[in-house]
Amino acid sequence: MKRSEINKVLMEMEAFIKEYRFALPPFCHFTPEDWKSKGHDYDEIRDNMLGWDITDYGLGDFGKIGFSLITIRNGNFAMKDKYAKTYAEKLLYLREGQYAPMHFHWSKMEDIINRGGGNVLIRVYNSTPGEGLDEIGEVHVHKDGRELTVPAGTQVRLTPGESITIQPYLYHDFSVEEGTGPVLLGEVSQCNDDNTDNRFLKPIGRFPAIEEDEPPYRLLCNEYPKP
């Protein structure tokens, strides 16, 4: 991705979050210059990859396949003695016409909540013992305290305020219902580790290669300088 494209979507997501009156923690507003002076007292942010995360999954077509996220709080699978949190929270932003690819998590259970905007569609499949896609088996879905059984490949529709629980090994993807506009999602989950706990159905990248065509507006969660 070009840095200019990343900057544009960061500003767009900030404005959308402000529209829905969600107040971000202070570190989400740090500039690259601010980060140069941040010492070890901010290591929790660095070590647990808190902050902004814009990805095109290494495919180079963010407008069609991409996601914008902020990790607000998180623990750490690899540093449990230092970071005792067993939970995480994110905000996610998906434009109409964008798609986040099919994947599951080996460890993480998560609730995906529509915080406002359009309607999100989450397609669900069970996984097979070999971690493939079970295109036959019915899927048990928990949606706002109600248990449903749906056919494999069903797109569960979440309107603002609705949520779904995603169990480990449950394949899922994200798109926006046509004509409803961009959506702001919340994610409340067990600890998040994007380096080791994502199983994509088709092998893809997770963090973008960046072409530096202009200075960064914000640093992404994998770009913080060491103190």
Side-chain angles (χ1 to χ4, degrees), residues 21-219:
R21 302 179 67 83
F22 193 108
L24 295 173
F27 64 81
C28 290
H29 302 294
F30 289 171
T31 66
E33 191 64 28
D34 290 334
W35 271 109
K36 293 178 182 179
S37 63
K38 302 305 178 187
H40 285 291
D41 48 328
Y42 285 92
D43 277 352
E44 183 174 350
I45 296 171
R46 299 182 183 93
D47 291 343
N48 299 343
M49 300 184 75
L50 307 186
W52 297 95
D53 179 3
I54 309 298
T55 185
D56 64 356
Y57 300 96
L59 300 176
D61 193 359
F62 179 78
K64 292 184 178 179
I65 303 177
F67 223 158
S68 307
L69 312 93
I70 307 172
T71 302
I72 297 173
R73 62 199 87 248
N74 197 15
N76 193 307
F77 289 145
M79 304 174 74
K80 292 180 180 179
D81 291 341
K82 187 174 183 180
Y83 302 114
K85 287 179 183 175
T86 58
Y87 54 87
E89 181 185 5
K90 291 184 179 182
L91 284 179
L92 308 93
Y93 176 66
L94 195 64
R95 295 169 171 171
E96 188 171 335
Q98 271 188 321
Y99 172 72
M102 189 68 67
H103 66 289
F104 71 63
H105 308 288
W106 287 283
S107 298
K108 183 175 72 170
M109 183 186 298
E110 58 189 348
D111 277 9
I112 304 297
I113 310 122
N114 188 332
R115 295 291 191 194
N119 300 329
V120 67
L121 302 174
I122 301 178
R123 192 184 305 274
V124 292
Y125 291 92
N126 296 318
S127 56
T128 67
E131 299 186 351
L133 204 65
D134 180 353
E135 300 185 69
I136 299 173
E138 293 183 325
V139 183
H140 293 281
V141 172
H142 293 264
K143 183 182 177 186
D144 296 308
R146 181 188 178 196
E147 184 176 1
L148 306 171
T149 301
V150 300
T154 295
Q155 284 187 303
V156 179
R157 179 176 181 261
L158 301 182
T159 61
E162 292 185 313
S163 69
I164 184 173
T165 299
I166 303 294
Q167 306 276 354
Y169 291 90
L170 180 66
Y171 273 112
H172 57 289
D173 65 9
F174 297 82
S175 58
V176 176
E177 185 175 4
E178 185 176 353
T180 65
V183 62
L184 181 66
L185 303 175
E187 178 185 311
V188 176
S189 74
Q190 295 167 302
C191 286
N192 180 81
D193 188 334
D194 284 321
N195 292 306
T196 66
D197 196 35
N198 292 324
R199 178 19 169 129
F200 289 100
L201 182 62
K202 297 180 180 179
I204 54 177
R206 175 58 182 84
F207 297 103
I210 300 175
E211 178 185 338
E212 302 290 354
D213 63 330
E214 68 180 35
Y217 171 62
R218 306 274 188 234
L219 295 183

